[in-house]
């Protein structure tokens, strides 16, 4: 039972490079989301998805793209990396239980440095 | 516009004593609140939650209190243990949505 798996764990990019952060979950959760954690800023929502083919923007979406072609996967794309995107990125998934609220499950994180 | 605020960046408590972590929110549409614990180099892990129809929820050493009129919640840890040393995030959401809004976190240090 892997839960939410993020790859890679660490990445260094040069300014202007592009890359994709991978996120996969094996719990058949409908809802997936990406957060970034920065010192003093907490966890800020980048993008989220309520199901395959449906995505929406969070609090800090600029510079990032997402797509959701399957229930299991929710990749985050950095189109042209900037130093301001240096951060720790977390993917999370959650589900509805008969309309009741439930918790979100997080991956281990990807530490990204843009130089 | 910080909808969920944790005004204490850090807290130190002696082992065996009570730890009280506080959280305030501004959005009156929030009706579900969660606490997460995060160790270095790991993802946040769920600790305890409370629905707005309750004012208290207890799970072992952890109790969350909700004061809706003050838009305030708190997490009590009794007794505190050195293994509780971590960053604690509170989060909030509105039923029917799947956007969890997090606070900035409080670093708890439990001194042996």
């Amino acid at each position: 039972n892997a839960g939410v798996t993020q790859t890679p764990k660490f990445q260094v990019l040069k300014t202007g490079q592009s890359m994709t952060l991978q996120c996969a979950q094996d719990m058949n959760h409908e809802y997936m989301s990406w957060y970034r954690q920065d010192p003093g800023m907490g966890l800020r929502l980048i993008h989220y998805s309520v199901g395959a083919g449906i995505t929406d923007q969070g609090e800090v979406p600029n510079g990032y793209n997402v797509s959701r072609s399957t229930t299991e996967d929710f990749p985050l794309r950095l189109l042209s990396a900037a130093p301001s995107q240096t951060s720790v990125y977390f993917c999370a998934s959650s589900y509805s239980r008969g309309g009741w609220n439930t918790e979100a499950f997080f991956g281990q994180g990807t530490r990204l440095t843009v130089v | 516009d910080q909808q969920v605020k944790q005004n204490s960046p850090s807290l130190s408590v002696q082992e065996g004593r009570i730890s009280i972590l506080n959280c305030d929110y501004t959005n009156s549409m929030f009706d579900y609140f969660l606490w997460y614990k995060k160790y270095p180099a790991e993802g946040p892990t769920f600790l305890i939650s409370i629905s707005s129809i309750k004012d208290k929820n207890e799970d072992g050493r952890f109790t969350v209190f909700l004061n809706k009129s003050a838009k305030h919640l708190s997490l009590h840890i009794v007794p505190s243990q050195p293994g509780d040393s971590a960053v604690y995030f509170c989060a909030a959401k509105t039923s029917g949505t799947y956007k969890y809004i997090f606070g900035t976190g409080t670093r708890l240090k439990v001194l042996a």
Side-chain angles (χ1 to χ4, degrees):
Chain A
N1 187 3
V4 179
T5 303
Q6 292 183 235
T7 55
K9 287 188 169 47
F10 302 94
Q11 183 70 50
V12 178
L13 284 181
K14 293 183 178 178
T15 297
Q17 284 185 317
S18 63
M19 81 159 293
T20 299
L21 279 63
Q22 302 291 345
C23 175
Q25 54 93 7
D26 62 358
M27 298 174 283
N28 201 32
H29 287 175
E30 309 100 290
Y31 313 106
M32 297 186 74
S33 51
W34 278 100
Y35 291 84
R36 58 178 288 175
Q37 183 193 8
D38 302 291
M41 304 293 288
L43 292 160
R44 292 183 293 169
L45 181 64
I46 305 171
H47 284 286
Y48 64 101
S49 168
V50 299
I54 307 170
T55 64
D56 205 348
Q57 296 182 350
E59 303 165 272
V60 287
N62 292 341
Y64 307 95
N65 271 2
V66 292
S67 59
R68 183 108 178 262
S69 55
T70 67
T71 299
E72 294 79 19
D73 300 297
F74 190 44
L76 178 72
R77 295 185 192 85
L78 281 71
L79 307 173
S80 177
S84 61
Q85 294 179 304
T86 293
S87 187
V88 182
Y89 292 84
F90 290 100
C91 178
S93 72
S94 59
Y95 64 105
S96 63
R97 185 172 54 209
W100 292 101
N101 289 296
T102 61
E103 70 273 23
F105 295 78
F106 282 81
Q108 295 279 70
T110 295
R111 182 175 292 275
L112 176 68
T113 302
V114 182
V115 298
Chain B
D1 178 22
Q2 193 78 26
Q3 297 185 71
V4 178
K5 302 177 187 179
Q6 294 177 256
N7 291 320
S8 298
S10 63
L11 174 69
S12 290
V13 171
Q14 285 294 131
E15 181 180 6
R17 305 294 292 266
I18 184 170
S19 294
I20 300 176
L21 293 87
N22 294 304
C23 180
D24 298 295
Y25 61 96
T26 59
N27 188 339
S28 57
M29 297 298 292
F30 289 148
D31 59 4
Y32 189 63
F33 305 88
L34 310 92
W35 284 94
Y36 280 80
K37 179 177 181 178
K38 185 183 180 305
Y39 292 119
E42 295 185 9
T45 54
F46 170 72
L47 198 54
I48 192 169
S49 63
I50 188 167
S51 166
S52 61
I53 62 173
K54 295 186 175 182
D55 53 20
K56 176 183 173 181
N57 189 27
E58 195 170 352
D59 184 1
R61 296 186 297 115
F62 302 92
T63 303
V64 56
F65 295 92
L66 176 63
N67 182 334
K68 290 185 289 295
S69 60
K71 293 191 177 68
H72 176 83
L73 62 153
S74 61
L75 175 68
H76 292 209
I77 306 173
V78 183
S80 301
Q81 298 174 354
D84 296 329
S85 297
V87 176
Y88 289 78
F89 291 99
C90 70
K93 70 183 288 290
T94 302
S95 291
T97 73
Y98 297 93
K99 293 169 66 173
Y100 297 78
I101 305 300
F102 283 79
T104 52
T106 296
R107 183 179 302 278
L108 173 66
K109 188 172 184 179
V110 180
L111 307 168

